[in-house]
């Protein structure tokens, strides 16, 4: 593997527990330089916790074990002073609710220039000029006039663009977008997704996109990890997962997507709910909801194993490709247009 495609971030056996209850069960994950990785799954499956743990942002009651390496540098055992040189500078994170991330009593310009001062040492006229450039880059109209406005004077979509500008201030090598379009309407969602794709192409940074929206993931990501109950259950390229999902949970996510065109079909919901971390089944966590589950699944937990087609899968009774899987390819192609 060349230096250009080598791993930027490596996670090995990352585990997180709150008050003695394990919620993340040994995550192994690599993010390459410049790649776009999607994390999908229901609420509570551990998508956000994975990266909050990696950056040391979980509360003190959380117990974190395992290793997280940034180009060989171990972040899991690093002191706070070292982590502060990584957060914002090398790894930046934007969240789904910009209104709770922007300071309501500070002007927008000051918030961006503050990030520039901390991460790049820019002050005065140089910082203002760079802040205006970032505002223009993320699509804020008339940035010079709006530089001295407050967050409440911007729309929800513009606030999310400003959060992206703050995140880009440190010129990060990795941007983690934690459901950045959830609080936005459909039109603004599409604009933000286009912006993330454009920025990644222009800057060469890696992107981790956390979302419930499979369509959004297909638009900006090259590779996808599907998480369930604190574990990765399937991992592969966007094309692989959208054309032929193999894990019953991944298949269930696609079956629940309504189609706008074509014949009307009854949606197939995934029965039941995600188990509470205190009450996980002895075997596969998805077995109580899985149509393919056997007694073996109820007692033995499958490992995430590499498959002949290059994907990774944690299932002993995977879904076999069927003729009706073609509609998943159509969804993928329609989304990418």
């Amino acid at each position: 593997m060349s230096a250009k495609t080598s791993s930027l971030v490596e996670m090995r056996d990352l585990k997180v527990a709150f008050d003695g209850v394990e919620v993340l069960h040994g995550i192994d994950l690599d993010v390459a330089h410049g790649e776009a990785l999607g994390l999908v799954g229901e609420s509570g499956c551990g998508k956000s916790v994975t990266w909050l743990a990696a950056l040391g942002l979980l509360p003190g009651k959380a117990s974190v074990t395992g290793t997280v390496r940034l180009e060989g540098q171990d972040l899991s055992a690093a002191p706070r002073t070292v982590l502060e040189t990584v957060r914002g500078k090398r790894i930046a994170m934007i969240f789904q609710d910009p209104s709770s991330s922007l300071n309501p009593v500070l002007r927008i310009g000051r918030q961006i220039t503050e990030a520039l001062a901390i991460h790049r040492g820019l002050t005065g006229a140089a910082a203002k000029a760079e802040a205006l450039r970032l505002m223009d880059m993320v699509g804020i109209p008339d940035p010079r006039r709006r530089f001295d406005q407050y967050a409440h004077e911007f729309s929800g979509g513009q606030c999310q663009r400003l959060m992206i500008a703050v995140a880009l201030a440190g010129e990060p090598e990795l941007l983690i977008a934690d459901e950045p379009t959830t609080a936005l309407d459909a039109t603004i969602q599409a604009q933000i997704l286009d912006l993330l794709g454009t920025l990644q192409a222009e800057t060469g940074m890696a992107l981790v996109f956390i979302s419930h929206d499979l369509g959004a993931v297909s638009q900006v990501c090259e590779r996808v990890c599907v998480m369930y109950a604190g574990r990765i259950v399937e991992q592969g390229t966007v094309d692989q997962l959208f054309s032929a999902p193999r894990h019953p949970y991944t298949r269930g996510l696609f079956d629940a997507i309504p189609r706008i065109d074509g014949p009307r079909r009854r949606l197939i919901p995934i029965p039941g709910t995600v188990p509470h971390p205190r009450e996980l089944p002895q075997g596969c966590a998805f077995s109580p909801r899985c149509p393919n589950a056997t007694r073996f699944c109820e007692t033995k937990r499958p490992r995430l194993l590499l498959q002949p087609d290059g994907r990774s899968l944690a299932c002993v009774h995977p879904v076999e490709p069927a003729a009706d899987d073609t509609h998943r390819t159509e969804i993928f192609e329609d989304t990418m247009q």
Side-chain angles (χ1 to χ4, degrees), residues 109 112-114 116-117 121-133 147:
I112 300 176
T113 55
E114 182 179 38
L116 290 167
L122 297 179
T123 58
K128 182 174 182 178
E130 179 63 7
L132 292 173
R133 187 187 73 84
F147 184 83

Side-chain angles (χ1 to χ4, degrees), residues 73-327:
Q73 180 184 15
D74 190 357
L75 301 183
S76 52
R80 179 178 176 179
T81 52
V82 173
L83 289 176
E84 288 178 348
T85 65
V86 172
R87 301 174 188 150
K89 174 62 177 175
R90 302 191 64 186
I91 302 178
M93 193 166 185
I94 56 176
F95 301 93
Q96 60 180 294
D97 185 7
S99 62
S100 64
S101 301
L102 294 170
N103 192 322
V105 299
L106 295 181
R107 299 179 192 274
I108 287 300
R110 179 178 171 185
Q111 296 186 56
I112 300 176
T113 55
E114 182 179 38
L116 290 167
I118 293 172
H119 300 304
R120 291 166 59 185
L122 297 179
T123 58
K128 182 174 182 178
E130 179 63 7
L132 292 173
R133 187 187 73 84
L134 289 171
M135 291 175 69
D136 181 66
M137 178 187 292
V138 299
I140 299 297
D142 196 5
R144 188 170 297 277
R145 178 179 64 84
R146 310 204 70 181
F147 184 83
D148 289 322
Q149 292 183 336
Y150 294 93
H152 72 269
E153 298 178 84
F154 293 82
S155 68
Q158 289 175 333
C159 284
Q160 192 60 278
R161 290 172 183 270
L162 290 169
M163 280 305 306
I164 295 173
V166 173
L168 293 177
E171 299 181 324
E173 299 165 63
L174 171 62
L175 177 64
I176 303 167
D178 188 0
E179 302 192 39
T181 61
T182 298
L184 308 176
D185 61 54
T187 302
I188 304 303
Q189 284 184 24
Q191 294 175 4
I192 296 299
L193 292 176
D194 287 341
L195 173 62
L196 289 174
T198 300
L199 291 174
Q200 192 209 3
E202 291 179 351
T203 64
M205 67 181 177
L207 173 68
V208 173
F209 187 75
I210 301 172
S211 180
H212 296 90
D213 189 337
L214 290 164
V217 168
S218 73
Q219 184 174 338
V220 299
C221 299
E222 307 158 337
R223 185 163 61 93
V224 183
C225 293
V226 181
M227 295 188 67
Y228 185 80
R231 289 185 174 87
I232 296 175
V233 297
E234 187 168 10
Q235 181 178 181
T237 65
V238 167
D239 198 6
Q240 285 175 327
L241 265 66
F242 273 70
S243 62
R246 299 297 310 282
H247 196 283
Y249 177 61
T250 312
R251 176 63 179 261
L253 293 177
F254 281 102
D255 285 339
I257 297 176
R259 293 198 60 193
I260 298 176
D261 57 345
R264 295 181 62 183
R265 300 184 183 183
R266 182 178 294 276
L267 297 181
I268 307 174
I270 302 175
T273 59
V274 179
H276 191 279
R278 293 182 184 273
E279 302 170 352
L280 290 178
Q282 178 183 353
C284 175
F286 189 61
S287 60
R289 309 173 69 188
C290 181
N292 297 352
T294 62
R295 186 175 297 275
F296 179 86
C297 302
E298 297 173 359
T299 57
K300 302 294 184 181
R301 182 174 297 121
R303 292 186 297 128
L304 187 68
L305 300 175
L306 185 65
Q307 305 298 303
D309 64 356
R311 82 178 75 200
S312 296
L313 187 64
C315 183
V316 295
H317 297 296
V319 176
E320 295 300 327
D324 65 350
D325 277 337
T326 55
H327 82 278

Side-chain angles (χ1 to χ4, degrees), residues 325-336:
D325 277 337
T326 55
H327 82 278
R328 270 167 264 282
T329 305
E330 292 169 4
I331 294 172
F332 169 68
E333 292 172 346
D334 291 345
T335 305
M336 293 299 288

